[in-house]
Amino acid sequence: MAAVNDHQDIKREKILEASHQRFLHYGYSKTTMNEIAGDLSMSKALLYYYFPDKSQLYIAVMRKLANDYIKNLEEHIDTFANLKDAFVFQINTNHDFIVSNYNFFDFFRLNEQNLPDTIWEIVEQVHLAELNLLSRAIKTEIERGAIKPVENPEEIIDLLLDALHGIKVSAVSQKKINFPRKEHLDEIHTKRLLLIDIFIKGLMY
C-alpha cells in the first residue's frame, strides 16, 4: 500500500511540475488540461483522476510554489547581520518570485476582483511567513540594542507589508490595477527598497 501511495505522490509531483511549466509559459487562460496530459504522455482521464478541473490543478501548483517560497523565508530566519539585510532579503525574494513566475499569475490579473477563497488562504500563509521573518528580525535588533524598542513588532510589520504591497507605479493608467504589468515591476521594487530604508531609519536611535 505504501508503494502505491509513493507512486501516486511521484505522479502527482510530475503533474504539478509539468503544469507549472505550462502555466508559466502560456498563462492560465491559454493552458488546457489536454496539453498538460500531452506533456506528460498521460491520458486526460488519468489527469482528471488526480485533479478534477484546471482551477484545482492551478491552486495545487500555487500551493506548491507558496510552500517553497515560505520554506525559503523560514530557512533565513535569524540569519541576518542587521535589520536592513533582513528587509532587503524579503523585498528581493518577493520581487524575484513574482518576476520568475509572472505569467503564472495571469490568473490573478484575470480574476483580481473575484479570486477564490482558497487562493486568499494561500496568500495569507505567505503574508504570515513574511510577517514572522521581519518581526523576528526587529525583535533580534531590539535585543542587540541596535534599534529603539517597539511594543508591537507584528502590528508594525503588518502595516509595513500592507504599504509595500500597495505601492503603485507612476503611470496614472496603472493606479487602479492591483496586479502590476511586468514592465513596472522594477519601478515598484525600487520604491519598496526606498520605503524600507525610510522605515528602518525611523527605528534607529
Side-chain angles (χ1 to χ4, degrees):
M1 190 66 179
V4 172
N5 289 336
D6 288 345
H7 177 73
Q8 289 182 337
D9 288 343
I10 292 171
K11 182 74 72 176
R12 190 176 188 277
E13 282 300 308
K14 288 183 177 179
I15 292 172
L16 293 179
E17 290 172 9
S19 301
H20 178 223
Q21 291 306 311
R22 270 280 165 186
F23 291 137
L24 193 60
H25 286 96
Y26 302 103
Y28 178 83
S29 59
K30 295 182 180 179
T31 294
T32 68
M33 295 291 272
N34 277 337
E35 290 168 338
I36 294 171
D39 291 342
L40 292 160
S41 299
M42 174 188 292
S43 71
K44 189 176 176 181
L46 183 57
L47 179 58
Y48 276 107
Y49 168 78
Y50 284 94
F51 298 98
D53 57 51
K54 187 171 72 167
S55 65
Q56 291 192 42
L57 176 54
Y58 179 87
I59 289 170
V61 175
M62 183 179 170
R63 185 175 285 111
K64 183 179 187 302
L65 290 177
N67 286 341
D68 290 343
Y69 178 83
I70 290 169
K71 181 180 179 183
N72 185 28
L73 296 186
E74 290 176 342
E75 288 174 347
H76 284 83
I77 288 175
D78 298 330
T79 65
F80 304 104
N82 53 56
L83 195 59
K84 184 170 183 178
D85 285 352
F87 278 80
V88 169
F89 168 78
Q90 191 277 321
I91 295 294
N92 288 343
T93 300
N94 181 272
H95 175 73
D96 292 343
F97 178 70
I98 297 298
V99 170
S100 60
N101 289 288
Y102 189 80
N103 285 343
F104 175 82
F105 290 114
D106 79 328
F107 184 87
F108 282 68
R109 295 189 293 279
L110 294 170
N111 301 281
E112 62 181 351
Q113 302 300 323
N114 192 34
L115 289 172
D117 288 344
T118 310
I119 293 286
W120 286 117
E121 289 168 7
I122 297 171
V123 171
E124 178 63 14
Q125 290 171 0
V126 169
H127 176 77
L128 289 175
E130 294 174 337
L131 182 67
N132 186 44
L133 175 85
L134 298 180
S135 60
R136 286 279 291 271
I138 283 185
K139 291 173 184 176
T140 297
E141 290 303 284
I142 291 172
E143 291 171 0
R144 291 174 178 170
I147 62 173
K148 301 173 185 176
V150 176
E151 287 188 14
N152 300 300
E154 288 83 4
E155 290 182 15
I156 297 296
I157 294 301
D158 194 40
L159 177 60
L160 176 65
L161 288 173
D162 281 348
L164 289 171
H165 291 305
I167 287 177
K168 302 289 185 179
V169 296
S170 300
V172 174
S173 62
Q174 294 300 302
K175 296 296 185 183
K176 296 181 181 180
I177 297 176
N178 290 325
F179 205 92
R181 292 179 181 173
K182 192 170 187 177
E183 62 266 27
H184 295 141
L185 293 177
D186 285 343
E187 181 184 343
I188 291 171
H189 181 235
T190 299
K191 287 183 175 181
R192 286 176 173 173
L193 289 173
L194 177 60
L195 178 58
I196 64 165
D197 189 53
I198 294 170
F199 173 81
I200 291 170
K201 286 177 179 175
L203 294 176
M204 298 299 178
Y205 283 102

